Amino acid sequence: MAKIKWVFFDIDNTLFDSHRLSTAARKNAVEAMIRAGLKANFNAAFAELMEIVRKHGSNYPGHFNKLVSAYKVPREMQAEIIAAGIVEYHNTKFKLLVPFSGVKETLRKLRAKGCKLGVITNGRAVKQWDKLIRLGLSGFFKVVVISEEAGVGKPNKEIFKAALKKAECRPKEAIMVGDNEDDIAAKKIGMRTVCFGNKNQGADYQIKRFPEILKTVRKIEKR
Amino acid sequence: MAKIKWVFFDIDNTLFDSHRLSTAARKNAVEAMIRAGLKANFNAAFAELMEIVRKHGSNYPGHFNKLVSAYKVPREMQAEIIAAGIVEYHNTKFKLLVPFSGVKETLRKLRAKGCKLGVITNGRAVKQWDKLIRLGLSGFFKVVVISEEAGVGKPNKEIFKAALKKAECRPKEAIMVGDNEDDIAAKKIGMRTVCFGNKNQGADYQIKRFPEILKTVRKIEKR
């Protein structure tokens, strides 16, 4: 029987529905841009935007500028159309930046049973903290390791090691909860892995609803 | 008796209280940063932030990064503190980005009496459009001229000429409403000028509340 001392989480698609958020925000933005004068078919423009996001990465700040260029919008109309997209994108984002059902309660229960909580995530540090704060979850996590600051990202095992070092915790006493292969790589250093979602990509355990983590921790501790 | 065909407005401190917004947003941001762990005296940190804004300009995107550097925050705490500032800054901003009392009603009345409405403003085009959209005012303005796009800013008379050209309007048939000397420079090309605020810096007319524009237009038309 091994006591679990730390539970680490990814942020996007683990603590909140990042996929739903970015899809809805981009769709609403394209609709707003069309209302503001972008002469485009919605489906074609959304596909174009997704291609721009794919090509330039999701952290690139000029997605809507590129979209407006792709549609050859006259210069004097560009700023209004871009601004319409930005405003709608942000309004949708802030509305949908809420934790998955049961996240807060589950984190509280994990803490109450003596687990310490952490985050191991890839991305830009300020942007990831921005999400934790807006989700109302930043206070739960005692260790937050973000690839930009760590100098290395998941699935590289060094980021998991860095988090465990900060936590002063042995791999066997720690769980990594995430939605994809990058998170499951924590296995390589001996952490227990939990995959949250419909597709399990090789984790030790799979859960379909966030609160099932509690049961999983108990299961691991009983083994 | 000259009919006024166009009324042009500045945005910041004319359509909304930009000074109140940026002061409150920055104060709240500094408070949030201190709550997140910035070891600083509030008054000193706010003064430091204002100095950073003065030095780097209000459009510079790294004010909070500079503040955190000034206080030598340890690297592993920087992102959380910066993000706390950004979230609070934006929350305050979106709450206070509302038109001055009576703006919508007055614009509607001006339009009803046959005046066309425009904007002549200094700044970055997308940022100024973002404000018009969030204020819920973008639909009112048929001509929007922004220094970044015009290639020249107030008080240079060329920006006023560019706006009148777009509007197909003679200077005498147009009013410029703004809060400072830059706006009053419209005088140089023969536009009527209205100063909104407590200090009149040489405009033809001064008003202390936004809806007084209506009376002023009637006064000008009767002369």
Side-chain angles (χ1 to χ4, degrees), chain B residues 17-90:
Chain B
D17 197 338
S18 167
H19 180 70
R20 171 175 163 246
L21 181 152
S22 56
T23 304
R26 286 175 189 139
K27 283 187 173 175
N28 290 353
V30 170
E31 276 176 3
M33 291 169 86
I34 289 171
R35 279 197 303 274
L38 180 70
K39 290 200 193 338
N41 166 279
F42 171 77
N43 289 324
F46 181 65
E48 178 75 34
L49 178 62
M50 293 310 290
E51 177 58 23
I52 290 164
V53 171
R54 197 195 57 71
K55 198 167 153 192
H56 297 273
S58 66
N59 284 323
Y60 172 76
H63 295 147
F64 299 147
N65 299 59
K66 292 273 176 200
L67 185 61
V68 153
S69 299
Y71 278 93
K72 299 189 170 44
V73 173
R75 193 166 168 278
E76 70 273 15
M77 288 181 65
Q78 289 181 6
E80 179 177 5
I81 293 173
I82 292 166
I86 291 173
V87 169
E88 192 57 37
Y89 182 90
H90 283 121

Side-chain angles (χ1 to χ4, degrees), chain A residues 65 75-76 78-80 82-84 86-87 90-91 94 125-126 129-130 133-134 138 146 148-150 166, chain B residues 65 75-76 78-80 82-84 86-87 90-91 94 125-126 129-130 133-134 138 146 148-150 166:
Chain A
N65 299 58
R75 193 167 169 280
E76 69 274 15
Q78 289 180 6
E80 179 177 4
I82 292 166
I86 291 173
V87 169
H90 283 121
N91 287 349
F94 297 148
V126 170
W129 270 109
D130 184 295
I133 294 167
R134 287 187 190 279
S138 60
I146 304 170
E148 185 189 26
E149 286 176 345
K166 272 197 176 184
Chain B
N65 299 59
R75 193 166 168 278
E76 70 273 15
Q78 289 181 6
E80 179 177 5
I82 292 166
I86 291 173
V87 169
H90 283 121
N91 286 349
F94 297 148
V126 170
W129 270 108
D130 184 294
I133 294 167
R134 287 188 190 276
S138 61
I146 305 171
E148 185 189 26
E149 287 176 345
K166 272 197 176 184

Side-chain angles (χ1 to χ4, degrees), chain B:
Chain B
M1 197 181 122
K3 167 92 182 122
I4 293 299
K5 294 187 179 162
W6 280 82
V7 185
F8 290 94
F9 298 87
D10 183 20
I11 298 177
D12 300 79
N13 295 314
T14 299
L15 298 177
F16 78 104
D17 197 338
S18 167
H19 180 70
R20 171 175 163 246
L21 181 152
S22 56
T23 304
R26 286 175 189 139
K27 283 187 173 175
N28 290 353
V30 170
E31 276 176 3
M33 291 169 86
I34 289 171
R35 279 197 303 274
L38 180 70
K39 290 200 193 338
N41 166 279
F42 171 77
N43 289 324
F46 181 65
E48 178 75 34
L49 178 62
M50 293 310 290
E51 177 58 23
I52 290 164
V53 171
R54 197 195 57 71
K55 198 167 153 192
H56 297 273
S58 66
N59 284 323
Y60 172 76
H63 295 147
F64 299 147
N65 299 59
K66 292 273 176 200
L67 185 61
V68 153
S69 299
Y71 278 93
K72 299 189 170 44
V73 173
R75 193 166 168 278
E76 70 273 15
M77 288 181 65
Q78 289 181 6
E80 179 177 5
I81 293 173
I82 292 166
I86 291 173
V87 169
E88 192 57 37
Y89 182 90
H90 283 121
N91 286 349
T92 305
K93 178 178 144 180
F94 297 148
K95 217 179 294 168
L96 297 183
L97 201 46
V98 292
F100 274 119
S101 179
V103 166
K104 272 195 189 172
E105 208 189 330
T106 306
L107 295 179
R108 259 187 227 114
K109 285 182 181 167
L110 283 169
R111 215 167 45 179
K113 79 179 282 315
C115 293
K116 284 175 182 155
L117 307 174
V119 162
I120 303 173
T121 187
N122 286 353
R124 298 191 57 184
V126 170
K127 219 171 158 179
Q128 296 305 82
W129 270 108
D130 184 294
K131 291 174 195 169
L132 288 178
I133 294 167
R134 287 188 190 276
L135 289 165
L137 300 176
S138 61
F140 282 104
F141 303 107
K142 288 181 172 280
V143 165
V144 176
V145 176
I146 305 171
S147 61
E148 185 189 26
E149 287 176 345
V152 60
K154 301 178 285 184
N156 190 312
K157 62 187 176 186
E158 295 306 323
I159 192 170
F160 300 108
K161 283 189 185 170
L164 291 180
K165 195 178 168 192
K166 272 197 176 184
E168 301 182 4
C169 175
R170 289 180 298 171
K172 289 211 157 197
E173 297 168 336
I175 295 178
M176 178 71 207
V177 184
D179 66 303
N180 64 43
E181 290 171 332
D182 285 353
D183 305 303
I184 296 158
K187 246 184 164 175
K188 292 190 278 189
I189 66 156
M191 289 171 78
R192 321 297 179 108
T193 54
V194 178
C195 184
F196 175 35
N198 290 318
K199 256 196 290 179
N200 187 346
Q201 285 132 333
D204 301 316
Y205 301 88
Q206 190 190 5
I207 58 172
K208 297 204 173 176
R209 293 182 54 255
F210 196 89
E212 293 170 33
I213 291 165
L214 282 159
K215 234 176 15 192
T216 309
V217 172
R218 275 185 228 112
K219 213 189 287 177
I220 293 170
E221 292 187 333
K222 268 189 197 146
R223 280 183 55 172

